């Protein structure tokens, strides 16, 4: 169990660092009300989880330490749905309901599509 926790923690740390770097990079080129860095991170994270699960299943490695490291750790540390919830609350409180609903719809639809696409191309 300690070994599994280590894999999750190390993967989570790397995912969180990549999430931060994504925010830094996007903020250099985009400064608007739409939370693009979180949007990109969530869509990319959804694609990655689909792709990685597909690869692990294809190679019969879905129950090993690599799954804990990549899926639970890395993807869990990288994706940002708690931030997503907060940012939508802020948009609603600022009377930007149309932008909030667009953000929610695009994130959910493209997120689900990205998981499917990741699974599809990994097989």
């Amino acid at each position: 169990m300690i070994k599994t926790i280590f894999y999750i923690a190390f993967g989570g740390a790397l995912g969180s660092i990549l999430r931060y770097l994504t925010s830094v990079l996007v903020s250099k080129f985009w400064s608007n009300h739409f939370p693009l860095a979180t949007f990109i991170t969530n869509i990319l994270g959804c694609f990655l989880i689909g792709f990685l699960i597909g690869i692990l299943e294809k190679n019969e490695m879905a129950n090993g330490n690599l799954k804990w490291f990549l899926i639970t750790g890395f993807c869990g540390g990288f994706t940002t749905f708690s931030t997503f919830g907060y940012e939508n609350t802020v948009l609603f409180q600022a009377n930007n309901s149309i932008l909030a609903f667009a953000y929610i719809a695009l994130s959910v639809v493209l997120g689900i599509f990205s998981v499917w696409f990741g699974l599809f191309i990994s097989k």
Side-chain angles (χ1 to χ4, degrees):
M1 178 154 167
I2 297 295
K3 186 177 175 183
T4 301
I5 291 170
F6 173 77
Y7 283 112
I8 293 168
F10 187 61
L14 293 176
S16 295
I17 290 167
L18 184 58
R19 174 182 167 195
Y20 168 74
L21 294 174
T22 301
S23 292
V24 169
L25 181 66
V26 169
S27 69
K28 286 185 179 186
F29 301 101
W30 177 268
S31 60
N32 202 328
H33 295 289
F34 187 81
L36 186 63
T38 303
F39 179 74
I40 289 170
T41 299
N42 283 335
I43 301 308
L44 183 56
C46 288
F47 168 76
L48 282 174
I49 203 167
F51 180 76
L52 292 170
I53 287 172
I55 293 293
L56 291 173
E57 287 177 353
K58 185 169 82 173
N59 294 299
E60 299 178 8
M61 299 178 351
N63 293 323
N65 290 325
L66 199 54
K67 176 187 173 196
W68 294 119
F69 172 75
L70 292 172
I71 306 305
T72 305
F74 182 80
C75 287
F78 181 62
T79 57
T80 58
F81 266 85
S82 58
T83 303
F84 170 79
Y86 173 73
E87 290 170 341
N88 276 296
T89 301
V90 170
L91 288 172
F92 282 121
Q93 289 173 344
N95 293 320
N96 286 326
S97 298
I98 293 172
L99 190 57
F101 283 121
Y103 182 35
I104 291 166
L106 285 169
S107 294
V108 171
V109 170
L110 288 176
I112 292 168
F113 173 79
S114 295
V115 171
W116 172 83
F117 186 65
L119 286 166
F120 175 78
I121 68 164
S122 69
K123 294 183 177 179

